[in-house]
Amino acid sequence: MKKSDFGEDFLWGVTIAAIQNEGASFTKGKGLTIWDTFSKRIGKIKNGDTPSHACDFYHRYKEDLLLAKQLGFKVFRFSIAWSRILPEGQGRINKSGINFYHQVIDECLTLGLTPYITLYHWDLPHDLEKEGGWCSHFLLKWFSRFVTVCAENYGSKVKNWIILNEPMGFTTLGYMLGIHAPGKMGLNNYFPAIHNAALAQAEGGRIIRELVSNANIGTTFSCSEVMPFSDKEQDIKAAARMDLMLNRLFIEPLLGKGLPHVEDFPMLEKMLVHNKTWKYTERLQFDFDYIGIQNYFALTVKHNPLIPYLQASEVKAKTRKVPYTDMGWEINAESCYRMIKRFWDYGNIRKLLVTEGGAFFKDKLINGTVDDAQRIQYFQEYLEAVLKAKREGVNVGGYFAWTLTDNFEWSEGYQATFGLIHVDFSTQQRTIKNSGYWWRQFLKS
Ligand code: BGC
Protein backbone atom coordinates (compact mmCIF):
# COMPACT_ATOMS: atom_id res chain seq x y z
CA MET A 1 0.00 0.00 0.00
CA LYS A 2 1.28 3.41 -1.00
CA LYS A 3 0.01 6.91 -0.45
CA SER A 4 -0.44 7.23 -4.20
CA ASP A 5 -2.95 4.34 -4.15
CA PHE A 6 -5.37 6.73 -2.43
CA GLY A 7 -5.21 9.23 -5.29
CA GLU A 8 -3.96 12.76 -5.70
CA ASP A 9 -6.83 14.52 -3.94
CA PHE A 10 -6.89 12.37 -0.82
CA LEU A 11 -6.32 14.54 2.26
CA TRP A 12 -3.71 13.47 4.79
CA GLY A 13 -4.03 15.18 8.11
CA VAL A 14 -3.21 15.09 11.77
CA THR A 15 -5.53 16.14 14.59
CA ILE A 16 -5.27 17.71 18.02
CA ALA A 17 -7.80 19.29 20.42
CA ALA A 18 -7.58 22.45 22.51
CA ILE A 19 -7.98 21.12 26.03
CA GLN A 20 -5.86 18.05 25.29
CA ASN A 21 -2.93 20.01 23.85
CA GLU A 22 -2.83 23.69 24.64
CA GLY A 23 -2.20 23.89 28.37
CA ALA A 24 -1.96 27.55 29.41
CA SER A 25 -5.35 27.07 30.98
CA PHE A 26 -5.28 30.27 32.98
CA THR A 27 -3.22 32.39 30.60
CA LYS A 28 -4.19 35.77 29.18
CA GLY A 29 -7.77 35.77 30.31
CA LYS A 30 -8.82 32.23 29.41
CA GLY A 31 -11.94 31.21 31.32
CA LEU A 32 -12.31 27.94 33.19
CA THR A 33 -13.67 24.93 31.35
CA ILE A 34 -15.59 21.96 32.68
CA TRP A 35 -12.38 19.95 32.46
CA ASP A 36 -10.51 22.34 34.77
CA THR A 37 -13.12 21.89 37.45
CA PHE A 38 -13.88 18.21 36.83
CA SER A 39 -10.21 17.26 37.00
CA LYS A 40 -10.01 18.74 40.50
CA ARG A 41 -12.50 16.17 41.76
CA ILE A 42 -10.74 13.35 43.55
CA GLY A 43 -10.55 10.11 41.63
CA LYS A 44 -11.99 11.41 38.38
CA ILE A 45 -8.74 11.48 36.35
CA LYS A 46 -5.98 8.91 36.54
CA ASN A 47 -3.04 10.00 38.68
CA GLY A 48 -4.91 13.20 39.57
CA ASP A 49 -3.83 14.74 36.26
CA THR A 50 -5.32 18.03 35.08
CA PRO A 51 -5.21 19.63 31.61
CA SER A 52 -3.60 22.84 32.90
CA HIS A 53 -0.23 22.26 31.21
CA ALA A 54 -1.01 19.48 28.68
CA CYS A 55 1.73 19.49 26.04
CA ASP A 56 1.87 23.27 26.00
CA PHE A 57 0.76 23.71 22.39
CA TYR A 58 -0.18 27.26 23.38
CA HIS A 59 3.48 28.22 23.66
CA ARG A 60 4.93 25.61 21.29
CA TYR A 61 2.51 25.74 18.39
CA LYS A 62 5.23 26.81 15.97
CA GLU A 63 7.37 23.83 16.84
CA ASP A 64 4.43 21.44 16.69
CA LEU A 65 3.13 22.73 13.38
CA LEU A 66 6.59 22.44 11.93
CA LEU A 67 6.74 18.84 13.12
CA ALA A 68 3.35 18.13 11.49
CA LYS A 69 4.70 19.58 8.28
CA GLN A 70 7.96 17.65 8.54
CA LEU A 71 6.06 14.38 8.95
CA GLY A 72 4.44 15.16 5.62
CA PHE A 73 0.86 16.02 6.63
CA LYS A 74 -1.05 18.56 4.57
CA VAL A 75 -4.02 19.13 6.87
CA PHE A 76 -3.94 20.29 10.47
CA ARG A 77 -7.12 19.79 12.48
CA PHE A 78 -7.38 21.62 15.79
CA SER A 79 -10.18 22.94 17.97
CA ILE A 80 -10.98 26.37 19.37
CA ALA A 81 -11.22 26.60 23.14
CA TRP A 82 -14.55 28.34 23.63
CA SER A 83 -13.45 29.86 26.97
CA ARG A 84 -10.24 31.25 25.47
CA ILE A 85 -12.22 33.52 23.19
CA LEU A 86 -15.35 33.93 25.35
CA PRO A 87 -14.11 33.46 28.93
CA GLU A 88 -17.61 33.30 30.40
CA GLY A 89 -18.94 31.39 27.39
CA GLN A 90 -21.11 34.32 26.38
CA GLY A 91 -20.78 38.08 26.64
CA ARG A 92 -17.38 39.68 26.34
CA ILE A 93 -14.74 38.56 23.87
CA ASN A 94 -11.14 37.96 24.96
CA LYS A 95 -9.01 39.59 22.27
CA SER A 96 -5.88 37.75 23.25
CA GLY A 97 -7.68 34.43 22.76
CA ILE A 98 -8.88 35.53 19.33
CA ASN A 99 -5.32 36.50 18.45
CA PHE A 100 -3.90 33.17 19.55
CA TYR A 101 -5.94 31.26 16.97
CA HIS A 102 -5.05 33.84 14.32
CA GLN A 103 -1.43 33.04 15.02
CA VAL A 104 -2.03 29.30 14.77
CA ILE A 105 -3.97 29.72 11.52
CA ASP A 106 -1.36 32.06 10.04
CA GLU A 107 1.42 29.65 10.92
CA CYS A 108 -0.50 26.78 9.29
CA LEU A 109 -0.96 28.83 6.14
CA THR A 110 2.69 29.87 6.07
CA LEU A 111 3.76 26.24 6.33
CA GLY A 112 1.27 25.05 3.72
CA LEU A 113 -0.90 23.16 6.22
CA THR A 114 -4.64 23.46 5.50
CA PRO A 115 -6.43 24.28 8.76
CA TYR A 116 -9.56 22.36 9.75
CA ILE A 117 -11.25 23.98 12.73
CA THR A 118 -13.28 21.89 15.14
CA LEU A 119 -15.68 24.19 16.95
CA TYR A 120 -16.48 21.98 19.90
CA HIS A 121 -14.11 19.35 21.19
CA TRP A 122 -15.63 18.83 24.63
CA ASP A 123 -14.35 21.83 26.60
CA LEU A 124 -17.47 23.73 27.57
CA PRO A 125 -16.86 26.95 29.53
CA HIS A 126 -17.39 26.28 33.22
CA ASP A 127 -19.65 29.34 33.58
CA LEU A 128 -22.08 27.85 31.08
CA GLU A 129 -22.08 24.54 32.93
CA LYS A 130 -23.11 26.43 36.06
CA GLU A 131 -26.18 27.48 34.07
CA GLY A 132 -26.94 23.91 32.99
CA GLY A 133 -24.39 23.32 30.23
CA TRP A 134 -25.51 21.01 27.44
CA CYS A 135 -28.77 20.38 29.35
CA SER A 136 -29.83 24.02 29.25
CA HIS A 137 -32.49 25.49 26.96
CA PHE A 138 -30.00 28.29 26.36
CA LEU A 139 -27.32 26.01 25.01
CA LEU A 140 -28.29 26.62 21.41
CA LYS A 141 -28.19 30.37 21.92
CA TRP A 142 -24.74 30.22 23.57
CA PHE A 143 -23.38 27.83 20.96
CA SER A 144 -24.70 29.95 18.11
CA ARG A 145 -22.91 32.99 19.47
CA PHE A 146 -19.66 31.05 19.84
CA VAL A 147 -19.91 29.73 16.28
CA THR A 148 -20.70 33.22 15.01
CA VAL A 149 -17.68 34.73 16.76
CA CYS A 150 -15.43 32.03 15.26
CA ALA A 151 -16.88 32.43 11.78
CA GLU A 152 -16.61 36.22 11.85
CA ASN A 153 -13.03 36.16 13.06
CA TYR A 154 -11.55 33.27 11.12
CA GLY A 155 -13.93 32.70 8.20
CA SER A 156 -11.91 34.73 5.72
CA LYS A 157 -8.84 32.56 6.32
CA VAL A 158 -10.30 29.15 7.16
CA LYS A 159 -12.72 27.35 4.86
CA ASN A 160 -12.82 23.91 6.49
CA TRP A 161 -15.02 23.55 9.56
CA ILE A 162 -16.11 20.75 11.85
CA ILE A 163 -19.07 21.61 14.06
CA LEU A 164 -18.92 18.97 16.82
CA ASN A 165 -16.47 16.30 17.81
CA GLU A 166 -18.37 13.09 18.53
CA PRO A 167 -21.63 14.18 20.18
CA MET A 168 -22.19 10.61 21.37
CA GLY A 169 -18.91 10.74 23.26
CA PHE A 170 -19.34 13.93 25.22
CA THR A 171 -23.04 13.49 25.98
CA THR A 172 -22.88 9.85 27.08
CA LEU A 173 -19.63 10.06 29.02
CA GLY A 174 -20.28 13.52 30.45
CA TYR A 175 -24.05 13.67 31.01
CA MET A 176 -25.13 10.04 31.46
CA LEU A 177 -22.24 8.03 32.87
CA GLY A 178 -20.44 10.83 34.68
CA ILE A 179 -16.97 9.64 33.75
CA HIS A 180 -16.10 12.71 31.68
CA ALA A 181 -16.69 16.36 32.50
CA PRO A 182 -18.97 17.69 33.82
CA GLY A 183 -19.60 14.34 35.56
CA LYS A 184 -23.38 14.37 35.39
CA MET A 185 -25.46 11.22 35.38
CA GLY A 186 -28.89 9.92 34.55
CA LEU A 187 -31.61 10.36 31.96
CA ASN A 188 -32.69 13.78 33.21
CA ASN A 189 -29.33 15.10 32.13
CA TYR A 190 -28.79 12.81 29.20
CA PHE A 191 -32.01 13.44 27.28
CA PRO A 192 -31.73 17.22 27.11
CA ALA A 193 -27.97 16.97 26.40
CA ILE A 194 -28.38 14.66 23.40
CA HIS A 195 -31.20 16.72 22.04
CA ASN A 196 -29.30 19.98 22.35
CA ALA A 197 -26.23 18.39 20.75
CA ALA A 198 -28.33 17.13 17.83
CA LEU A 199 -29.76 20.63 17.36
CA ALA A 200 -26.36 22.28 17.75
CA GLN A 201 -24.70 20.15 15.09
CA ALA A 202 -27.26 21.25 12.49
CA GLU A 203 -27.52 24.85 13.65
CA GLY A 204 -23.73 25.24 13.67
CA GLY A 205 -23.66 24.07 10.06
CA ARG A 206 -26.27 26.66 9.09
CA ILE A 207 -24.38 29.49 10.78
CA ILE A 208 -21.09 28.66 9.08
CA ARG A 209 -22.87 28.32 5.72
CA GLU A 210 -24.33 31.76 6.15
CA LEU A 211 -21.26 33.56 7.40
CA VAL A 212 -18.33 31.90 5.61
CA SER A 213 -18.13 32.07 1.86
CA ASN A 214 -17.09 28.86 0.09
CA ALA A 215 -17.03 26.94 3.34
CA ASN A 216 -16.47 23.20 3.43
CA ILE A 217 -18.51 22.09 6.43
CA GLY A 218 -18.59 18.79 8.28
CA THR A 219 -19.19 17.31 11.67
CA THR A 220 -17.81 14.14 13.22
CA PHE A 221 -19.23 10.92 14.63
CA SER A 222 -17.70 8.14 16.62
CA CYS A 223 -18.70 4.74 15.31
CA SER A 224 -18.09 1.17 16.41
CA GLU A 225 -19.38 -1.99 14.85
CA VAL A 226 -21.45 -3.78 17.50
CA MET A 227 -21.55 -7.55 17.31
CA PRO A 228 -23.73 -9.85 19.42
CA PHE A 229 -21.80 -12.20 21.69
CA SER A 230 -23.91 -15.17 20.58
CA ASP A 231 -26.70 -15.89 18.16
CA LYS A 232 -29.23 -15.94 21.02
CA GLU A 233 -32.09 -13.56 20.33
CA GLN A 234 -31.45 -11.66 23.57
CA ASP A 235 -27.85 -10.92 22.60
CA ILE A 236 -28.82 -9.90 19.09
CA LYS A 237 -31.37 -7.46 20.49
CA ALA A 238 -28.88 -6.14 23.02
CA ALA A 239 -26.42 -5.48 20.20
CA ALA A 240 -29.11 -3.66 18.22
CA ARG A 241 -29.84 -1.36 21.18
CA MET A 242 -26.17 -0.61 21.68
CA ASP A 243 -25.75 -0.02 17.96
CA LEU A 244 -28.59 2.47 17.97
CA MET A 245 -27.07 4.42 20.83
CA LEU A 246 -23.49 4.34 19.56
CA ASN A 247 -23.91 4.64 15.83
CA ARG A 248 -27.34 5.87 14.82
CA LEU A 249 -28.66 8.38 17.35
CA PHE A 250 -27.00 11.50 15.93
CA ILE A 251 -26.48 10.77 12.26
CA GLU A 252 -30.01 9.62 11.43
CA PRO A 253 -31.87 12.74 12.62
CA LEU A 254 -29.21 14.80 10.84
CA LEU A 255 -29.87 12.96 7.59
CA GLY A 256 -33.60 13.56 7.94
CA LYS A 257 -34.47 10.06 9.11
CA GLY A 258 -35.73 11.13 12.54
CA LEU A 259 -35.07 9.29 15.76
CA PRO A 260 -33.88 5.72 15.00
CA HIS A 261 -35.91 2.81 16.25
CA VAL A 262 -35.35 -0.80 17.29
CA GLU A 263 -37.72 -3.23 18.95
CA ASP A 264 -37.80 -3.82 22.69
CA PHE A 265 -36.16 -0.59 23.73
CA PRO A 266 -38.50 1.26 26.14
CA MET A 267 -35.94 4.03 26.66
CA LEU A 268 -36.68 5.25 23.14
CA GLU A 269 -40.26 5.99 24.08
CA LYS A 270 -39.08 7.97 27.09
CA MET A 271 -36.68 9.85 24.84
CA LEU A 272 -39.49 10.80 22.50
CA VAL A 273 -41.72 11.95 25.30
CA HIS A 274 -38.95 14.01 26.83
CA ASN A 275 -37.72 15.57 23.62
CA LYS A 276 -40.88 16.06 21.63
CA THR A 277 -39.06 17.94 18.92
CA TRP A 278 -37.26 14.78 17.77
CA LYS A 279 -40.38 14.53 15.66
CA TYR A 280 -39.93 17.90 13.99
CA THR A 281 -37.08 16.86 11.87
CA GLU A 282 -36.19 19.98 9.85
CA ARG A 283 -34.17 21.74 12.53
CA LEU A 284 -32.14 18.60 13.17
CA GLN A 285 -31.12 18.36 9.52
CA PHE A 286 -28.27 19.96 7.65
CA ASP A 287 -26.71 19.05 4.34
CA PHE A 288 -23.05 18.75 5.31
CA ASP A 289 -20.32 18.79 2.68
CA TYR A 290 -18.72 15.86 4.42
CA ILE A 291 -19.22 13.65 7.44
CA GLY A 292 -16.24 12.81 9.63
CA ILE A 293 -16.11 9.33 11.05
CA GLN A 294 -13.89 8.20 13.89
CA ASN A 295 -13.57 4.50 14.55
CA TYR A 296 -11.44 3.37 17.45
CA PHE A 297 -12.77 -0.08 18.30
CA ALA A 298 -15.30 -2.78 17.59
CA LEU A 299 -17.63 -3.95 20.34
CA THR A 300 -19.07 -7.33 21.25
CA VAL A 301 -22.15 -7.12 23.40
CA LYS A 302 -24.38 -9.44 25.40
CA HIS A 303 -27.73 -9.10 27.11
CA ASN A 304 -27.30 -7.92 30.68
CA PRO A 305 -30.44 -7.17 32.71
CA LEU A 306 -28.36 -5.47 35.41
CA ILE A 307 -27.48 -2.55 33.15
CA PRO A 308 -30.20 0.11 33.39
CA TYR A 309 -32.10 1.04 30.21
CA LEU A 310 -29.72 -0.55 27.72
CA GLN A 311 -29.67 -4.01 29.31
CA ALA A 312 -26.54 -4.72 27.38
CA SER A 313 -22.89 -4.87 28.29
CA GLU A 314 -19.60 -5.26 26.53
CA VAL A 315 -17.69 -8.54 26.50
CA LYS A 316 -14.15 -7.23 26.61
CA ALA A 317 -11.68 -8.02 23.85
CA LYS A 318 -9.26 -9.33 26.45
CA THR A 319 -11.64 -12.04 27.63
CA ARG A 320 -12.41 -13.04 24.05
CA LYS A 321 -8.68 -13.28 23.27
CA VAL A 322 -8.75 -11.01 20.26
CA PRO A 323 -6.15 -8.26 19.66
CA TYR A 324 -6.63 -5.04 21.61
CA THR A 325 -4.80 -1.78 22.31
CA ASP A 326 -3.63 -0.65 25.73
CA MET A 327 -7.01 1.10 26.14
CA GLY A 328 -8.46 -2.43 26.03
CA TRP A 329 -10.09 -1.56 22.70
CA GLU A 330 -10.49 -4.33 20.14
CA ILE A 331 -8.32 -3.91 17.05
CA ASN A 332 -10.41 -4.87 14.07
CA ALA A 333 -9.68 -2.99 10.85
CA GLU A 334 -12.19 -5.06 8.91
CA SER A 335 -14.94 -3.68 11.18
CA CYS A 336 -13.71 -0.15 10.39
CA TYR A 337 -14.13 -0.96 6.70
CA ARG A 338 -17.68 -2.17 7.38
CA MET A 339 -18.55 1.00 9.31
CA ILE A 340 -17.31 3.18 6.47
CA LYS A 341 -19.46 1.20 4.05
CA ARG A 342 -22.42 1.40 6.39
CA PHE A 343 -22.28 5.17 6.71
CA TRP A 344 -21.91 5.46 2.95
CA ASP A 345 -24.92 3.22 2.44
CA TYR A 346 -27.17 5.84 4.05
CA GLY A 347 -27.09 7.20 0.52
CA ASN A 348 -27.31 10.93 1.20
CA ILE A 349 -23.82 11.66 2.45
CA ARG A 350 -21.69 13.56 -0.07
CA LYS A 351 -18.29 12.60 1.24
CA LEU A 352 -16.72 10.84 4.19
CA LEU A 353 -13.47 11.79 5.86
CA VAL A 354 -11.83 9.72 8.55
CA THR A 355 -11.29 12.69 10.84
CA GLU A 356 -9.52 10.65 13.54
CA GLY A 357 -7.85 7.27 13.84
CA GLY A 358 -5.11 6.07 16.13
CA ALA A 359 -4.20 3.96 19.11
CA PHE A 360 -2.72 3.98 22.59
CA PHE A 361 0.11 1.55 23.15
CA LYS A 362 2.46 1.98 26.08
CA ASP A 363 5.56 3.66 24.71
CA LYS A 364 9.12 3.43 25.96
CA LEU A 365 11.65 6.12 25.16
CA ILE A 366 15.01 4.36 25.03
CA ASN A 367 18.14 6.18 23.86
CA GLY A 368 16.11 8.76 22.00
CA THR A 369 13.93 6.20 20.22
CA VAL A 370 10.33 5.07 20.67
CA ASP A 371 9.91 1.80 18.84
CA ASP A 372 6.11 1.69 18.59
CA ALA A 373 5.80 -1.11 16.05
CA GLN A 374 2.25 -1.96 17.17
CA ARG A 375 1.04 1.53 16.37
CA ILE A 376 2.62 1.32 12.91
CA GLN A 377 0.86 -1.97 12.29
CA TYR A 378 -2.40 -0.47 13.53
CA PHE A 379 -2.19 2.40 11.04
CA GLN A 380 -1.24 0.05 8.21
CA GLU A 381 -4.22 -2.20 8.84
CA TYR A 382 -6.69 0.65 9.22
CA LEU A 383 -5.43 2.46 6.15
CA GLU A 384 -5.81 -0.77 4.15
CA ALA A 385 -9.43 -0.85 5.36
CA VAL A 386 -10.02 2.71 4.19
CA LEU A 387 -8.43 1.94 0.84
CA LYS A 388 -10.60 -1.13 0.40
CA ALA A 389 -13.76 0.93 0.97
CA LYS A 390 -12.49 3.59 -1.41
CA ARG A 391 -11.78 1.03 -4.12
CA GLU A 392 -15.32 -0.24 -3.75
CA GLY A 393 -16.68 3.16 -4.60
CA VAL A 394 -17.11 4.90 -1.24
CA ASN A 395 -16.26 8.58 -1.54
CA VAL A 396 -13.85 8.66 1.36
CA GLY A 397 -11.66 11.67 0.88
CA GLY A 398 -9.11 11.75 3.68
CA TYR A 399 -7.54 10.28 6.78
CA PHE A 400 -6.46 12.35 9.78
CA ALA A 401 -4.25 10.63 12.34
CA TRP A 402 -4.98 10.96 16.03
CA THR A 403 -2.74 12.49 17.25
CA LEU A 404 0.34 14.63 16.66
CA THR A 405 1.86 14.63 20.14
CA ASP A 406 1.08 12.73 23.32
CA ASN A 407 -1.50 14.77 25.18
CA PHE A 408 -4.18 14.88 27.90
CA GLU A 409 -6.31 11.79 27.29
CA TRP A 410 -9.43 12.84 29.22
CA SER A 411 -10.13 10.69 32.28
CA GLU A 412 -7.06 8.58 31.42
CA GLY A 413 -4.80 11.58 32.06
CA TYR A 414 -1.32 11.70 30.54
CA GLN A 415 -0.42 8.03 30.76
CA ALA A 416 -2.55 7.00 27.76
CA THR A 417 -0.39 8.14 24.86
CA PHE A 418 -1.75 8.25 21.31
CA GLY A 419 0.88 10.57 19.77
CA LEU A 420 3.13 10.10 16.76
CA ILE A 421 5.50 12.24 18.79
CA HIS A 422 6.51 11.39 22.33
CA VAL A 423 6.29 14.15 24.92
CA ASP A 424 8.24 14.19 28.15
CA PHE A 425 5.68 16.11 30.19
CA SER A 426 8.26 17.32 32.72
CA THR A 427 10.45 19.02 30.12
CA GLN A 428 8.02 19.22 27.16
CA GLN A 429 10.74 17.68 25.03
CA ARG A 430 9.36 16.18 21.81
CA THR A 431 10.76 12.98 20.24
CA ILE A 432 9.37 11.61 16.99
CA LYS A 433 8.30 7.99 17.51
CA ASN A 434 8.97 5.35 14.90
CA SER A 435 5.30 5.64 13.92
CA GLY A 436 5.96 9.29 13.12
CA TYR A 437 8.88 8.28 10.93
CA TRP A 438 6.69 5.61 9.35
CA TRP A 439 4.13 8.30 8.43
CA ARG A 440 6.89 10.46 6.98
CA GLN A 441 8.00 7.61 4.72
CA PHE A 442 4.46 6.63 3.82
CA LEU A 443 3.49 10.19 2.91
CA LYS A 444 6.36 10.28 0.43
CA SER A 445 5.27 7.04 -1.27
C1 BGC B 1 -11.64 11.81 20.77
C2 BGC B 1 -10.25 12.23 21.17
C3 BGC B 1 -9.62 11.14 22.03
C4 BGC B 1 -9.56 9.88 21.22
C5 BGC B 1 -8.90 8.71 21.95
C6 BGC B 1 -11.72 10.39 20.31
O1 BGC B 1 -12.97 9.88 20.58
O2 BGC B 1 -12.14 12.67 19.79
O3 BGC B 1 -10.32 13.46 21.81
O4 BGC B 1 -8.39 11.49 22.53
O5 BGC B 1 -10.87 9.49 20.94
O6 BGC B 1 -9.63 8.34 23.06
Side-chain angles (χ1 to χ4, degrees):
M1 177 189 51
K2 285 186 178 152
K3 177 196 164 200
S4 55
D5 296 335
F6 290 79
E8 282 287 302
D9 298 338
F10 199 83
L11 296 171
W12 295 100
V14 67
T15 302
I16 67 160
I19 196 88
Q20 293 182 270
N21 287 67
E22 287 177 6
S25 291
F26 317 108
T27 302
K28 296 209 173 151
K30 183 175 195 263
L32 287 180
T33 72
I34 52 175
W35 280 93
D36 297 307
T37 42
F38 182 72
S39 62
K40 290 271 155 52
R41 287 166 60 181
I42 302 204
K44 289 293 180 188
I45 316 270
K46 274 203 184 137
N47 304 319
D49 289 341
T50 75
S52 62
H53 58 285
C55 44
D56 200 27
F57 179 79
Y58 184 85
H59 295 107
R60 290 162 205 267
Y61 68 93
K62 287 194 177 175
E63 182 188 349
D64 286 353
L65 291 173
L66 189 58
L67 284 163
K69 157 105 179 164
Q70 285 168 346
L71 295 188
F73 292 105
K74 290 282 190 287
V75 166
F76 188 72
R77 177 187 161 201
F78 63 98
S79 72
I80 307 265
W82 187 337
S83 73
R84 204 179 280 291
I85 64 172
L86 291 158
E88 289 86 27
Q90 51 181 333
R92 75 189 170 101
I93 290 178
N94 178 24
K95 279 227 170 80
S96 118
I98 296 280
N99 287 343
F100 170 66
Y101 295 106
H102 272 301
Q103 286 163 10
V104 172
I105 293 164
D106 291 345
E107 190 67 13
C108 282
L109 298 175
T110 306
L111 291 170
L113 291 166
T114 304
Y116 270 63
I117 287 185
T118 312
L119 286 161
Y120 186 73
H121 203 130
W122 303 2
D123 49 351
L124 193 76
H126 171 68
D127 282 356
L128 297 184
E129 184 53 45
K130 285 198 295 195
E131 307 285 321
W134 281 92
C135 304
S136 167
H137 289 307
F138 293 111
L139 187 281
L140 206 60
K141 181 179 141 215
W142 301 328
F143 186 68
S144 300
R145 168 95 198 292
F146 168 55
V147 177
T148 302
V149 170
C150 291
E152 286 175 349
N153 279 281
Y154 309 123
S156 60
K157 293 179 182 173
V158 178
K159 298 298 162 192
N160 303 289
W161 296 79
I162 291 174
I163 307 301
L164 297 182
N165 185 69
E166 298 187 359
M168 172 49 56
F170 74 80
T171 55
T172 307
L173 299 170
Y175 289 85
M176 176 70 196
L177 301 175
I179 51 184
H180 272 197
K184 286 185 171 166
M185 285 186 256
L187 295 184
N188 286 343
N189 292 308
Y190 188 53
F191 285 163
I194 54 177
H195 194 243
N196 285 329
L199 285 166
Q201 71 186 359
E203 190 64 18
R206 282 187 280 274
I207 294 170
I208 299 288
R209 184 72 83 221
E210 195 187 317
L211 298 181
V212 179
S213 60
N214 303 320
N216 180 37
I217 314 170
T219 196
T220 73
F221 297 102
S222 47
C223 61
S224 286
E225 191 178 27
V226 184
M227 286 160 289
F229 181 59
S230 78
D231 54 13
K232 284 191 206 139
E233 197 191 345
Q234 278 195 325
D235 284 350
I236 293 172
K237 285 187 168 170
R241 290 192 294 274
M242 184 75 94
D243 177 57
L244 184 148
M245 296 308 294
L246 292 189
N247 297 317
R248 302 176 55 195
L249 187 62
F250 287 95
I251 183 84
E252 295 192 9
L254 179 74
L255 297 177
K257 295 175 188 297
L259 187 66
H261 188 264
V262 291
E263 274 172 40
D264 295 336
F265 197 2
M267 186 168 126
L268 284 178
E269 286 310 311
K270 286 193 186 179
M271 232 189 249
L272 260 179
V273 172
H274 191 281
N275 296 324
K276 294 190 182 58
T277 52
W278 280 121
K279 283 191 239 154
Y280 307 113
T281 52
E282 319 81 56
R283 289 188 65 208
L284 300 167
Q285 287 177 60
F286 181 72
D287 185 15
F288 278 103
D289 299 307
Y290 63 93
I291 292 294
I293 58 177
Q294 315 192 154
N295 173 268
Y296 281 92
F297 50 84
L299 270 188
T300 292
V301 155
K302 68 172 182 195
H303 176 70
N304 182 348
L306 298 177
I307 302 294
Y309 315 115
L310 213 52
Q311 307 217 309
S313 60
E314 184 191 356
V315 186
K316 299 255 185 229
K318 191 174 177 183
T319 59
R320 289 180 296 112
K321 302 199 170 32
V322 295
Y324 57 92
T325 69
D326 284 331
M327 292 291 272
W329 293 348
E330 178 177 340
I331 303 172
N332 186 337
E334 199 53 31
S335 89
C336 176
Y337 155 80
R338 286 193 290 269
M339 287 314 290
I340 294 173
K341 296 275 282 194
R342 208 178 122 182
F343 268 66
W344 187 243
D345 285 343
Y346 278 122
N348 50 350
I349 290 177
R350 293 160 186 260
K351 184 194 263 195
L352 291 172
L353 294 181
V354 178
T355 36
E356 279 182 29
F360 160 41
F361 293 107
K362 286 184 185 124
D363 296 311
K364 282 202 189 84
L365 176 65
I366 301 171
N367 298 329
T369 301
V370 178
D371 184 11
D372 54 342
Q374 287 174 297
R375 190 174 283 112
I376 296 174
Q377 191 185 340
Y378 183 97
F379 279 122
Q380 284 172 325
E381 289 174 12
Y382 277 72
L383 288 176
E384 290 280 3
V386 174
L387 185 56
K388 185 171 158 194
K390 187 170 164 57
R391 285 191 168 137
E392 289 175 16
V394 177
N395 185 15
V396 48
Y399 186 96
F400 302 173
W402 181 266
T403 179
L404 183 67
T405 50
D406 294 338
N407 59 17
F408 176 74
E409 176 55 32
W410 311 113
S411 48
E412 294 293 317
Y414 292 101
Q415 52 77 42
T417 50
F418 280 76
L420 306 178
I421 296 169
H422 176 276
V423 174
D424 176 332
F425 289 102
S426 58
T427 61
Q428 295 292 353
Q429 166 90 31
R430 273 83 168 128
T431 307
I432 300 176
K433 301 180 192 177
N434 284 357
S435 58
Y437 290 118
W438 177 84
W439 270 101
R440 195 176 67 176
Q441 268 316 106
F442 174 74
L443 292 174
K444 285 183 189 155
S445 65

